Amino acid sequence: VANFFSPLTIKDITLRNRVAMSPMCQYSAQDGLMNDWHLVHLGGRAVGGSALVIAEAAAVSPNARATPEDMGLWNDAQAESCERTVAFIKQNGAVPGIQLQHAGRMGGMQSPWNGNKHYPDGHEHAWEPVGPSAITLGGPFPRPPREMLLSDIQQTQRDFAAAAGRARDAGFQWLELHYGHSYLMQNFFSPISNKRTDAYGGSFEGRARMLVETFKAVREEWPESLPISIRLGVRDYQADEQPIEESIELVRLFKAAGLDLIDVTMGFNANHVSDSKPNVPWGDDAFLADTAGLIREQTDMLTATSWNIRDPHVANRMIGAGKVDMVMLGRSMLADPYWPYHAAQQLGLDKPQDKLPKQYSVWLHGHEIIKAQ
Ligand SMILES: Cc1cc2nc3c(=O)[nH]c(=O)nc-3n(C[C@H](O)[C@H](O)[C@H](O)COP(=O)(O)O)c2cc1C
């Protein structure tokens, strides 16, 4: 039975354990470029013992950004800005990954500490949001999206493929596509936000088309030997969300097209982020683990999930029970870059300090302050 610290090999990549840092926007980029903040933020988690470190959602075009401070991969300078961080992550035994995004209806918003809502109309950053249909997200996102034309759809697919090529050139070894959290791809999949009457809407096949075609275009650019994951919004905790059977079928389509792992998350298509979303079981540990387990069982696809995974015993049980192959940690990693080391202590493993680089581990033998507390 696999546990948390068992290595995992996918194609040419071997992860040293099952702990990944989930992508987290830092709202700290200028012109979409990676900088010293990202080096320390991402590099620190590689030092801390994570196996996979996924850089935040990087926009595939300027208007694909949510905020002006998002990272991007729509030009070569942005790819070059990632090289130093990528090299540092590798030097410290972790696999560098990045997520690609199109923010869709959320486009043109302020970063969290600047308001966390759409810029007012007429502001230089109030770029036009787009979506499968002209359905406003609402709440802090009042600007109506423009319904995408076929030409917009095709351009977006080319943008994703080109960004994947830049991620490859920058040296990333893991690519994740952001198909959740009310971003553009999720909006195509969800019947709440997609009311199109052409080939990209309506039936399951229609609503899945944008997601599958984009994945195929990306897969052609991304080396066969390197893994790709998709972060899919499976649950919205809404009565009118897409049924779980559709997500299972969609994962089967992705699998047939060369997907390596599905990262199960929420859709956030209704009940938006800044609302309290009362139906979401916010208080529960690892509340998407069973959904991930069901998808794994039905599709035989490797799975991961995040949300409220704090306790290493919980993470270990999820992996041991075969619900997920990897845990993706968000806020736990913000709180503690050395989470894998501390997890090894809490699980009572021999030589937990070996989860850290030699510059630290040599000195930490028998020095278990956290465990003793
Ligand atoms: C500051 C912040 C930024 C985030 N940005 C992204 C992102 O760029 N892409 C993404 O898929 N999820 C993003 N998320 C969600 C996290 O990846 C993660 O799934 C979520 O926080 C739940 O895991 P946790 O309970 O361990 O925090 C973000 C979360 C936080 C807290």
Side-chain angles (χ1 to χ4, degrees):
V1 179
N3 74 31
F4 200 70
F5 283 105
S6 327
L8 175 65
T9 298
I10 307 176
K11 301 205 164 140
D12 282 3
I13 295 301
T14 296
L15 302 169
R16 59 187 168 185
N17 58 49
R18 310 302 185 93
V19 188
M21 180 156 82
S22 196
M24 280 180 282
C25 290
Q26 297 297 293
Y27 311 99
S28 301
Q30 260 192 344
D31 302 321
L33 298 163
M34 222 183 229
N35 58 39
D36 287 357
W37 176 262
H38 304 94
L39 171 68
V40 174
H41 167 65
L42 300 166
R45 274 64 191 186
V47 167
S50 294
L52 172 64
V53 178
I54 308 184
E56 67 195 73
V60 300
S61 64
N63 282 20
R65 288 174 298 174
T67 80
E69 295 85 15
D70 287 11
M71 272 191 56
L73 272 180
W74 68 82
N75 66 42
D76 294 344
Q78 292 161 344
E80 282 160 26
S81 74
C82 297
E83 288 174 5
R84 182 168 169 222
T85 299
V86 162
F88 184 84
I89 292 170
K90 286 181 189 166
Q91 279 157 22
N92 286 285
V95 171
I98 192 162
Q99 190 186 48
L100 300 183
Q101 67 130 332
H102 191 306
R105 297 190 290 177
M106 290 162 75
M109 67 175 281
Q110 302 154 334
S111 48
W113 37 83
N114 289 323
N116 211 23
K117 56 182 188 294
H118 268 156
Y119 277 100
D121 287 347
H123 191 280
E124 59 166 323
H125 297 316
W127 53 78
E128 184 181 46
V130 292
S133 303
I135 298 172
T136 305
L137 186 52
F141 303 95
R143 202 162 330 109
R146 181 174 61 77
E147 177 174 321
M148 289 172 83
L149 303 171
L150 192 55
S151 54
D152 297 314
I153 287 178
Q154 290 162 345
Q155 183 60 48
T156 300
Q157 294 180 346
R158 284 195 293 272
D159 290 342
F160 265 89
R166 289 190 194 98
R168 174 201 61 216
D169 294 345
F172 287 104
Q173 295 175 309
W174 185 291
L175 192 67
E176 178 160 280
L177 303 185
H178 201 342
Y179 282 11
H181 301 178
S182 199
Y183 279 5
L184 183 68
M185 295 295 171
Q186 177 75 46
N187 292 168
F188 269 89
F189 183 42
S190 171
I192 299 172
S193 45
N194 184 346
K195 305 283 186 199
R196 294 178 77 92
T197 54
D198 66 0
Y200 289 89
S203 64
F204 163 73
E205 285 72 22
R207 284 182 285 107
R209 189 179 309 276
M210 175 62 159
L211 288 73
V212 174
E213 285 181 359
T214 305
F215 175 68
K216 287 180 177 167
V218 164
R219 188 73 260 192
E220 280 189 16
E221 280 298 319
W222 185 250
E224 196 47 51
S225 57
L226 296 177
I228 301 195
S229 57
I230 287 181
R231 187 144 212 223
L232 183 65
V234 173
R235 296 297 317 275
D236 261 322
Y237 299 94
Q238 291 289 311
D240 51 353
E241 69 188 27
Q242 67 286 337
I244 182 75
E245 292 75 23
E246 288 196 352
S247 294
I248 290 171
E249 191 52 34
L250 185 54
V251 172
R252 291 198 181 111
L253 296 178
F254 291 146
K255 191 179 179 198
L259 183 69
D260 297 294
L261 181 142
I262 190 85
D263 178 2
V264 175
T265 192
M266 288 187 276
F268 291 148
N269 270 296
N271 238 356
H272 198 266
V273 184
S274 301
D275 301 341
S276 58
K277 290 191 287 318
N279 301 335
V280 178
W282 291 117
D284 297 354
D285 272 352
F287 56 82
L288 283 172
D290 288 342
T291 306
L294 178 68
I295 291 178
R296 191 174 185 271
E297 183 191 290
Q298 297 285 316
T299 64
D300 212 17
M301 181 88 244
L302 296 181
T303 60
T305 191
S306 58
W307 298 101
N308 286 0
I309 304 170
R310 290 171 279 225
D311 181 341
H313 295 94
V314 169
N316 213 20
R317 278 200 295 275
M318 287 163 68
I319 292 165
K323 292 181 180 174
V324 294
D325 299 279
M326 199 194 305
V327 290
M328 301 274 195
L329 303 184
R331 289 160 298 176
S332 299
M333 280 286 177
L334 295 185
D336 181 8
Y338 305 107
W339 197 90
Y341 163 59
H342 293 141
Q345 286 186 329
Q346 287 175 38
L347 293 171
L349 298 192
D350 200 26
K351 298 188 181 162
Q353 72 277 7
D354 287 356
K355 306 301 173 200
L356 296 173
K358 60 180 180 302
Q359 290 93 331
Y360 295 175
S361 62
V362 180
W363 315 104
L364 291 177
H365 177 67
H367 185 80
E368 294 173 303
I369 290 177
I370 303 258
K371 190 179 166 192
Q373 274 173 348

